[in-house]
Amino acid sequence: IAGSVVIEVNRCSSFNLQSCELYKFGDTGVRVEAREKSKRRELVSQNIVIDNNYFHDFGLIESWSEGISLDNAYEAKVSHNYFKNGAHAAIRYDNCIDTLIEYNVFDNMMWTTADYGAVYTWESVTYRSNKIRYNLFKNIRVKDGQYGIYLDDNSCGQEVYGNLFYNAGSTTITFNGGRDNEVHDNVVIAA
């Protein structure tokens, strides 16, 4: 589906996507804007689960498009997904709290994008306790500063651990400002 968002959910109170295949789309595959921002601040879970899906050959037209985009989520879970042949990022999460990104595979991503990450967040200054763990990043294209994980513009309170990076970009993990971020127990293999 060229030039459009495949699934867009606005102000949701619950969203579940499991065991699907999304491919050859031009813009973002799944864009989820969670319930009203006040609900996130009250720490009311939106029950967002994106699990066991296959995203491939995506972001073909629009720049800055992702396989999955999350905004204003509390306790979202993105796990056991396979992202392959993405021109841009696989997952972007902004303004999220307690989001869990785990057991995903990111393969051959970012081949037309610079200054972005296979997993990316921007300006998440007060949105904390997000975890990126136990993922495999491989064959992230190296062009003009691409990143496996990119915590951009003062993102704070993110934890990155237990990930395997194989040939995963000119800079594997990047912090562009921010505080209280933890990175530990990751393995980086340069091919």
Side-chain angles (χ1 to χ4, degrees), residues 111-172:
W111 25 279
T112 65
T113 305
D115 194 31
Y116 212 34
V119 174
Y120 179 88
T121 189
W122 181 76
E123 210 171 56
S124 292
V125 178
T126 59
Y127 308 105
R128 312 177 65 75
S129 304
N130 300 301
K131 291 180 174 50
I132 303 169
R133 65 184 187 187
Y134 312 133
N135 299 287
L136 170 60
F137 295 80
K138 63 181 182 175
N139 304 318
I140 309 301
R141 298 288 177 99
V142 179
K143 179 190 172 213
D144 301 327
Q146 295 180 5
Y147 313 95
I149 297 173
Y150 193 172
L151 309 177
D152 199 2
D153 202 16
N154 294 314
S155 295
C156 302
Q158 315 298 307
E159 189 172 8
V160 178
Y161 64 93
N163 298 287
L164 174 59
F165 298 89
Y166 176 79
N167 188 28
S170 55
T171 306
T172 304

Side-chain angles (χ1 to χ4, degrees), residues 25-45:
F25 48 91
D27 198 346
T28 298
V30 178
R31 180 177 295 148
V32 180
E33 180 185 343
R35 196 182 304 196
E36 300 85 21
K37 293 179 183 180
S38 62
K39 296 297 183 187
R40 185 202 61 235
R41 291 183 188 122
E42 294 167 13
L43 303 182
V44 175
S45 179

Side-chain angles (χ1 to χ4, degrees), residues 10-165:
N10 293 310
R11 292 186 278 295
C12 69
S13 59
S14 180
F15 178 76
N16 190 322
L17 181 71
Q18 292 184 309
S19 302
C20 294
E21 180 178 4
L22 287 84
Y23 60 97
K24 293 190 178 177
F25 48 91
D27 198 346
T28 298
V30 178
R31 180 177 295 148
V32 180
E33 180 185 343
R35 196 182 304 196
E36 300 85 21
K37 293 179 183 180
S38 62
K39 296 297 183 187
R40 185 202 61 235
R41 291 183 188 122
E42 294 167 13
L43 303 182
V44 175
S45 179
Q46 285 95 7
N47 301 309
I48 298 167
V49 177
I50 303 172
D51 180 70
N52 196 36
N53 300 288
Y54 182 29
F55 295 80
H56 63 93
D57 302 296
F58 59 90
L60 303 174
I61 295 176
E62 299 296 323
S63 59
W64 301 94
S65 59
E66 305 84 24
I68 298 170
S69 176
L70 298 173
D71 192 21
N72 294 310
Y74 173 62
E75 292 186 341
K77 183 176 181 183
V78 180
S79 63
H80 300 97
N81 299 289
Y82 195 104
F83 299 89
K84 185 170 178 68
N85 300 334
H88 307 287
I91 300 171
R92 179 174 180 159
Y93 68 101
D94 293 332
N95 308 314
C96 295
I97 299 173
D98 289 340
T99 291
L100 185 59
I101 299 169
E102 65 178 1
Y103 300 111
N104 299 288
V105 175
F106 306 98
D107 185 6
N108 193 29
M109 302 297 304
M110 306 281 297
W111 25 279
T112 65
T113 305
D115 194 31
Y116 212 34
V119 174
Y120 179 88
T121 189
W122 181 76
E123 210 171 56
S124 292
V125 178
T126 59
Y127 308 105
R128 312 177 65 75
S129 304
N130 300 301
K131 291 180 174 50
I132 303 169
R133 65 184 187 187
Y134 312 133
N135 299 287
L136 170 60
F137 295 80
K138 63 181 182 175
N139 304 318
I140 309 301
R141 298 288 177 99
V142 179
K143 179 190 172 213
D144 301 327
Q146 295 180 5
Y147 313 95
I149 297 173
Y150 193 172
L151 309 177
D152 199 2
D153 202 16
N154 294 314
S155 295
C156 302
Q158 315 298 307
E159 189 172 8
V160 178
Y161 64 93
N163 298 287
L164 174 59
F165 298 89

